[in-house]
Amino acid sequence: MLLSIDPGSSGAAVLRFETGQVAAIIEYEGPKSIAEALNAGPITRAVIERVWASPVMGVSAAFAFGENYGAWCGAITLKGIPLTRVLPQEWQRAICPQIRGTGTDRKRALKIEAQRRFPALRVTLRNCDALLISEFALHSRQCA
């Protein structure tokens, strides 16, 4: 099973079978969400969005962002699960190169793209990136 993660405090994790079927979507609610995701099934590989703090973030927000990313990476490593880190530009360019813009306009466009690809699921602004990262991971040699 593939675990795909958007590590932001308003992000999510997606578990998918290698056949493509979504097994679970876990919206991030703190460390218990990491445990829930890692204990949801036999995970064979994980992909996380490689992120960093931005200059527009406040100090406490930047610290929390880094803490979430580190917690995910540490927990996955401790479980012995192979982990691939992918830049937002990499997966977005591969999965939805037509999407332009920044900020909330870009995020809304990503949500629309995720809903188009996953019409049977409840796609939200919180889980759309994790869903699209999982799509990238399933079809990318880089994440194999």
Side-chain angles (χ1 to χ4, degrees), residues 1-2 14-24 118 121 138:
M1 193 173 321
L2 166 69
V14 171
L15 288 149
R16 284 181 80 177
F17 295 103
E18 295 296 334
T19 59
Q21 180 183 2
V22 174
F118 301 94
L121 299 177
L138 280 179

Side-chain angles (χ1 to χ4, degrees), residues 2 7 15-17 33 52 55 60 68 76 78-79 81 84 91 95 107 109 116 124 132-133 138 140-141 143:
L2 166 69
L15 288 149
R16 284 181 80 177
F17 295 103
S33 303
W52 52 88
S60 61
N68 291 348
I76 291 165
L78 284 172
K79 284 280 227 177
I81 300 167
T84 301
W91 70 260
I95 293 296
K107 187 69 172 185
R116 184 186 72 74
T124 67
L132 292 172
I133 292 166
L138 280 179
S140 170
R141 293 177 207 255
C143 299

Side-chain angles (χ1 to χ4, degrees), residues 26-139:
I26 300 163
E27 293 189 347
Y28 187 75
E29 300 292 339
K32 67 180 173 135
S33 303
I34 296 173
E36 182 182 346
L38 291 176
N39 293 315
I43 299 167
T44 56
R45 61 191 178 115
V47 178
I48 190 168
E49 185 176 50
R50 190 171 137 212
V51 292
W52 52 88
S54 116
V56 297
M57 286 180 164
V59 174
S60 61
F63 184 82
F65 196 51
E67 189 175 44
N68 291 348
Y69 179 78
W72 276 110
C73 291
I76 291 165
T77 301
L78 284 172
K79 284 280 227 177
I81 300 167
L83 176 63
T84 301
R85 293 166 176 86
V86 61
L87 292 169
Q89 298 88 341
E90 289 177 88
W91 70 260
Q92 290 175 16
R93 192 177 318 121
I95 293 296
C96 40
Q98 75 282 6
I99 294 178
R100 303 276 186 249
T102 59
T104 44
D105 289 340
R106 182 175 193 81
K107 187 69 172 185
R108 283 192 194 106
L110 291 169
K111 179 183 180 279
I112 290 167
E113 178 63 18
Q115 190 65 74
R116 184 186 72 74
R117 289 173 182 257
F118 301 94
L121 299 177
R122 183 176 169 270
V123 176
T124 67
L125 289 172
R126 290 187 72 180
N127 66 33
C128 64
D129 285 7
L131 283 163
L132 292 172
I133 292 166
S134 75
E135 192 75 351
F136 171 77
L138 280 179
H139 302 289

